[in-house]
Amino acid sequence: GVPLQDVWDTIGPLSSMAKERLGYPTQKPLALLERIIQLSSQPGDIILDPFCGCGTAVHAAQKLERSWIGIDITSVAISLITYRLNAAFPNIEFATIGEPKDMQGARQLASDDKHQFEWWALSLLKAKPSGEGSSPGKGKKGADGGKDGIIFFPDGGGKLSKIIVSVKGGKNISVEMVRSLGDVVEEQKAAMGILLTLEAPTKPMLAWADQKGLFHSDAWGDFPRIQIITVADILDGKKIAMPPTVVADTFATPHREQRPPAAEQASLL
């Protein structure tokens, strides 16, 4: 046969309808990274991807029985990779290094970089960042129009509904923030709104949220239309009252690899 040339035109780009597309803007085909890794390494070697995005390289490395290290600057990317790997390799074990694990770490991140704190907080809910300039991988975030993140969920009959997420990492929080979120939910015709705060909400904030009543879904039932939850609540394992499939539908579900690989040593930074 013809030796492999330096122009590869047998692997096409990912279309918007590709089964492996996860919704990440710079995603590469898995077949491309598999070819690169197979040509340049042997099983058991360590693959380093210092800008791993949605994790295609580490997915390919895991599938081909290589050890790997993946690094990315944004928490939303790390969250997506974690979700992707657990879905594709159900018994995989890996360490995630550098993300806040407690309230001390969360407050430190909020003090150091409010944008990274926002992306990390959104990743706790598996919410996609929204707003101009908020694509994963960019260091700055533009105006968000009152919504920091968005979660989509199927609401029966082929209908796709959304939840607006607003993140507040400052110490001074007020009922006006809840009112503002309520206005955005109305303007966006969203099903629900979630206010995720670093500090505990005040009683007037909770009372105003209660006044907004319930969102009714024929498919899933009733849920509070406006909810306030703290980072501490999420870290303690508290769940938001929302449709059960909402997390899986925010990013597309990766396919499960048929044969679990032998190599299980990996890390994600």
Side-chain angles (χ1 to χ4, degrees):
V2 179
L4 190 64
Q5 304 298 302
D6 57 3
V7 176
W8 297 350
D9 57 4
T10 57
I11 300 176
L14 290 179
S15 69
S16 59
M17 301 301 292
K19 290 184 178 180
E20 67 180 88
R21 180 166 287 283
L22 302 174
Y24 196 87
T26 60
Q27 184 177 352
K28 306 299 187 296
L30 182 61
L32 175 63
L33 274 301
E34 287 181 4
R35 179 183 291 181
I36 292 171
I37 290 172
Q38 284 180 318
L39 289 172
S40 60
S41 66
Q42 298 293 327
D45 287 350
I46 299 175
I47 304 299
L48 170 66
D49 186 351
F51 312 98
C52 57
C54 65
T56 304
V58 297
H59 184 149
Q62 183 73 16
K63 181 178 179 180
L64 297 172
E65 301 185 359
R66 274 69 166 171
S67 297
W68 53 265
I69 300 171
I71 304 170
D72 202 274
I73 195 172
T74 63
S75 293
V76 68
I78 300 301
S79 176
L80 176 54
I81 297 169
T82 300
Y83 171 56
R84 176 180 190 171
L85 291 173
N86 284 323
F89 309 99
N91 297 318
I92 190 174
E93 295 182 4
F94 58 89
T96 304
I97 302 168
E99 284 193 319
K101 302 296 183 183
D102 52 29
M103 286 302 297
Q104 180 179 353
R107 289 194 171 93
Q108 186 63 53
L109 180 60
S111 174
D112 293 342
D113 191 322
K114 64 179 183 180
H115 301 310
Q116 289 298 327
F117 169 79
E118 181 178 298
W119 283 324
W120 170 75
L122 290 172
S123 76
L124 297 178
L125 303 181
K126 302 298 186 295
K128 286 184 179 180
S130 61
E132 182 182 355
S134 64
S135 296
K138 295 184 178 181
K140 296 182 179 180
K141 186 181 74 67
D144 54 35
K147 62 180 186 297
D148 299 313
I150 190 166
I151 300 171
F152 293 98
F153 66 94
D155 199 21
K159 179 183 176 184
L160 197 64
S161 297
K162 60 184 177 181
I163 300 173
I164 302 298
V165 182
S166 178
V167 178
K168 302 301 179 185
K171 294 182 178 180
N172 299 319
I173 54 177
S174 67
V175 71
E176 183 57 37
M177 295 176 178
V178 192
R179 293 195 185 103
S180 177
L181 174 59
D183 291 342
V184 174
V185 169
E186 295 292 339
E187 292 169 2
Q188 296 285 319
K189 295 181 172 56
M192 299 161 54
I194 296 170
L195 182 63
L196 180 58
T197 64
L198 185 61
E199 304 300 333
T202 64
K203 290 183 178 180
M205 293 171 67
L206 295 172
W208 196 96
D210 288 340
Q211 293 174 8
K212 298 302 290 183
L214 301 175
F215 161 71
H216 175 74
S217 166
D218 291 338
W220 306 111
D222 294 330
F223 303 91
R225 187 166 175 79
I226 301 295
Q227 299 181 49
I228 306 173
I229 192 166
T230 66
V231 170
D233 289 335
I234 299 295
L235 292 177
D236 287 342
K238 182 177 179 180
K239 304 296 183 181
I240 292 173
M242 57 184 178
T245 60
V246 67
V247 171
D249 286 277
T250 300
F251 292 113
T253 303
H255 75 279
R256 178 171 176 172
E257 298 295 347
Q258 296 299 314
R259 183 175 62 86
E264 296 289 348
Q265 297 181 356
S267 62
L268 189 62
L269 295 88

Coordinates of all heavy atoms in Angstrom, one line a residue, residues 228-265:
I228 N -32.1 29.3 45.4 CA -30.8 29.8 45.9 C -30.1 28.7 46.6 O -30.6 28.0 47.4 CB -31.0 31.0 46.9 CG1 -31.9 32.1 46.2 CG2 -29.7 31.6 47.2 CD1 -32.3 33.2 47.2
I229 N -28.9 28.5 46.1 CA -28.0 27.4 46.7 C -26.6 28.0 46.9 O -26.2 28.8 46.1 CB -28.1 26.1 45.9 CG1 -27.4 25.0 46.6 CG2 -27.4 26.4 44.5 CD1 -27.7 23.6 46.0
T230 N -25.9 27.5 47.9 CA -24.6 28.0 48.2 C -23.6 27.0 47.7 O -23.9 25.8 47.5 CB -24.4 28.3 49.7 OG1 -24.4 27.1 50.4 CG2 -25.4 29.3 50.2
V231 N -22.3 27.5 47.5 CA -21.2 26.6 47.1 C -21.0 25.6 48.2 O -20.8 24.4 47.9 CB -20.0 27.4 46.9 CG1 -18.7 26.5 46.8 CG2 -20.1 28.3 45.7
A232 N -21.2 26.0 49.5 CA -21.0 25.0 50.6 C -22.1 23.9 50.5 O -21.8 22.8 50.8 CB -21.1 25.8 51.9
D233 N -23.3 24.3 50.1 CA -24.3 23.3 50.0 C -23.9 22.2 48.9 O -24.0 21.0 49.1 CB -25.6 23.9 49.5 CG -26.3 24.7 50.6 OD1 -26.1 24.4 51.8 OD2 -27.1 25.7 50.3
I234 N -23.4 22.7 47.8 CA -23.0 21.8 46.7 C -21.9 20.9 47.1 O -21.9 19.7 46.9 CB -22.6 22.6 45.4 CG1 -23.8 23.4 44.9 CG2 -22.1 21.6 44.4 CD1 -25.0 22.5 44.4
L235 N -20.9 21.5 47.8 CA -19.7 20.7 48.3 C -20.1 19.7 49.3 O -19.5 18.6 49.4 CB -18.6 21.6 48.8 CG -17.9 22.6 47.8 CD1 -17.0 23.5 48.6 CD2 -17.2 21.8 46.8
D236 N -21.2 20.0 50.0 CA -21.7 19.0 51.0 C -22.6 18.0 50.4 O -23.2 17.1 51.2 CB -22.5 19.8 52.1 CG -21.5 20.5 53.1 OD1 -20.3 20.2 53.1 OD2 -22.0 21.4 53.8
G237 N -22.9 18.0 49.1 CA -23.6 17.0 48.5 C -25.1 17.4 48.2 O -25.9 16.5 47.8
K238 N -25.5 18.6 48.6 CA -26.9 19.0 48.4 C -27.2 19.1 46.9 O -26.4 19.5 46.1 CB -27.2 20.3 49.0 CG -28.7 20.7 48.9 CD -28.9 22.0 49.7 CE -30.4 22.5 49.5 NZ -30.6 23.7 50.3
K239 N -28.4 18.6 46.5 CA -28.8 18.6 45.1 C -29.9 19.7 44.9 O -30.7 20.1 45.8 CB -29.4 17.3 44.7 CG -28.5 16.1 44.9 CD -27.2 16.2 44.0 CE -26.4 15.0 44.2 NZ -25.1 15.1 43.4
I240 N -29.9 20.3 43.7 CA -30.9 21.2 43.3 C -32.1 20.5 42.8 O -32.1 19.4 42.2 CB -30.4 22.1 42.1 CG1 -29.3 23.0 42.7 CG2 -31.5 23.0 41.5 CD1 -28.6 23.8 41.6
A241 N -33.3 21.0 43.1 CA -34.6 20.4 42.7 C -34.8 20.8 41.2 O -35.2 21.9 40.9 CB -35.7 20.9 43.5
M242 N -34.5 19.8 40.3 CA -34.6 20.0 38.9 C -34.8 18.7 38.2 O -34.5 17.7 38.8 CB -33.4 20.9 38.3 CG -32.1 20.3 38.6 SD -30.8 21.4 38.0 CE -29.3 20.5 38.4
P243 N -35.2 18.7 36.9 CA -35.4 17.5 36.2 C -34.2 16.5 36.3 O -33.0 17.0 36.2 CB -35.7 17.9 34.8 CG -36.3 19.3 35.0 CD -35.6 19.9 36.1
P244 N -34.4 15.2 36.4 CA -33.3 14.3 36.6 C -32.3 14.1 35.5 O -31.2 13.7 35.7 CB -34.0 13.0 36.9 CG -35.4 13.1 36.3 CD -35.7 14.5 36.4
T245 N -32.7 14.4 34.3 CA -31.8 14.3 33.1 C -31.1 15.5 32.7 O -30.5 15.6 31.7 CB -32.6 13.7 31.9 OG1 -33.6 14.7 31.5 CG2 -33.2 12.4 32.2
V246 N -31.3 16.6 33.5 CA -30.7 17.9 33.1 C -29.2 17.9 33.0 O -28.7 18.5 32.0 CB -31.2 19.0 34.1 CG1 -30.5 18.8 35.5 CG2 -30.8 20.3 33.6
V247 N -28.5 17.1 33.8 CA -27.0 17.1 33.7 C -26.6 16.5 32.5 O -25.7 17.0 31.7 CB -26.4 16.4 35.0 CG1 -24.9 16.2 34.8 CG2 -26.7 17.3 36.2
A248 N -27.2 15.3 32.1 CA -26.7 14.6 31.0 C -27.0 15.3 29.7 O -26.3 15.1 28.7 CB -27.5 13.2 30.9
D249 N -28.0 16.2 29.7 CA -28.3 16.9 28.4 C -27.6 18.3 28.3 O -27.8 18.9 27.3 CB -29.9 17.1 28.4 CG -30.6 15.8 28.1 OD1 -30.6 15.5 26.9 OD2 -31.0 15.2 29.0
T250 N -26.9 18.7 29.3 CA -26.1 20.0 29.2 C -25.0 19.8 28.2 O -24.8 20.6 27.3 CB -25.6 20.4 30.5 OG1 -26.8 20.6 31.4 CG2 -24.9 21.7 30.4
F251 N -24.2 18.7 28.4 CA -23.2 18.3 27.4 C -23.7 16.9 26.9 O -24.3 16.2 27.6 CB -21.8 18.1 28.1 CG -21.2 19.4 28.5 CD1 -21.0 19.7 29.9 CD2 -20.8 20.3 27.6 CE1 -20.5 20.9 30.3 CE2 -20.2 21.5 28.0 CZ -20.1 21.8 29.3
A252 N -23.4 16.7 25.6 CA -23.8 15.4 25.0 C -23.2 14.3 25.8 O -22.0 14.4 26.3 CB -23.5 15.4 23.5
T253 N -23.8 13.1 25.8 CA -23.3 12.0 26.5 C -22.3 11.3 25.7 O -22.6 10.8 24.6 CB -24.4 11.0 26.9 OG1 -25.4 11.7 27.7 CG2 -23.9 9.8 27.7
P254 N -21.0 11.1 26.2 CA -20.0 10.3 25.4 C -20.4 8.9 25.3 O -21.1 8.3 26.2 CB -18.8 10.5 26.2 CG -19.0 11.6 27.2 CD -20.5 11.6 27.4
H255 N -20.0 8.2 24.2 CA -20.3 6.8 24.1 C -19.4 6.0 25.0 O -18.3 6.4 25.4 CB -20.0 6.3 22.7 CG -18.6 6.2 22.3 ND1 -17.8 7.2 21.9 CD2 -17.8 5.1 22.2 CE1 -16.6 6.8 21.6 NE2 -16.6 5.5 21.8
R256 N -19.9 4.9 25.5 CA -19.1 4.0 26.4 C -18.2 3.1 25.6 O -18.6 2.4 24.7 CB -20.1 3.2 27.3 CG -19.4 2.2 28.2 CD -20.4 1.6 29.2 NE -19.8 0.6 30.0 CZ -20.4 0.0 31.0 NH1 -21.6 0.3 31.3 NH2 -19.7 -0.9 31.8
E257 N -16.9 3.1 26.0 CA -16.0 2.2 25.3 C -16.3 0.8 25.7 O -16.6 0.4 26.8 CB -14.5 2.6 25.7 CG -14.1 4.0 25.3 CD -14.1 4.2 23.8 OE1 -14.1 3.2 23.0 OE2 -14.0 5.3 23.3
Q258 N -16.2 -0.1 24.7 CA -16.6 -1.5 24.9 C -15.7 -2.3 25.8 O -16.1 -3.1 26.6 CB -16.7 -2.2 23.5 CG -17.8 -1.6 22.6 CD -19.2 -1.7 23.3 OE1 -19.6 -2.8 23.8 NE2 -19.9 -0.7 23.2
R259 N -14.4 -2.1 25.6 CA -13.4 -2.8 26.4 C -12.7 -1.9 27.4 O -11.9 -1.1 27.0 CB -12.4 -3.5 25.5 CG -11.4 -4.4 26.2 CD -10.5 -5.1 25.1 NE -9.7 -4.1 24.4 CZ -8.5 -3.7 24.8 NH1 -8.0 -4.0 25.9 NH2 -7.9 -2.8 24.0
P260 N -12.9 -2.0 28.7 CA -12.2 -1.2 29.7 C -10.7 -1.5 29.6 O -10.3 -2.6 29.6 CB -12.8 -1.7 31.0 CG -14.1 -2.3 30.7 CD -13.9 -2.9 29.3
P261 N -9.9 -0.4 29.4 CA -8.5 -0.6 29.3 C -7.8 -1.0 30.6 O -8.4 -0.9 31.7 CB -8.0 0.8 28.9 CG -9.0 1.7 29.6 CD -10.3 1.0 29.4
A262 N -6.7 -1.7 30.5 CA -5.9 -2.1 31.6 C -5.3 -1.0 32.4 O -5.2 -1.0 33.6 CB -4.9 -3.2 31.2
A263 N -4.8 0.0 31.7 CA -4.1 1.1 32.4 C -5.1 2.0 33.1 O -6.1 2.5 32.5 CB -3.3 1.9 31.3
E264 N -4.9 2.3 34.4 CA -5.9 3.1 35.1 C -5.1 4.3 35.8 O -5.7 5.0 36.6 CB -6.6 2.2 36.2 CG -7.5 1.2 35.6 CD -8.7 1.7 34.9 OE1 -9.0 2.9 35.1 OE2 -9.4 0.9 34.2
Q265 N -3.9 4.4 35.5 CA -3.1 5.5 36.2 C -3.2 6.8 35.4 O -2.7 6.8 34.2 CB -1.7 5.1 36.4 CG -1.5 3.9 37.3 CD -0.1 3.5 37.5 OE1 0.8 4.1 36.9 NE2 0.2 2.5 38.4

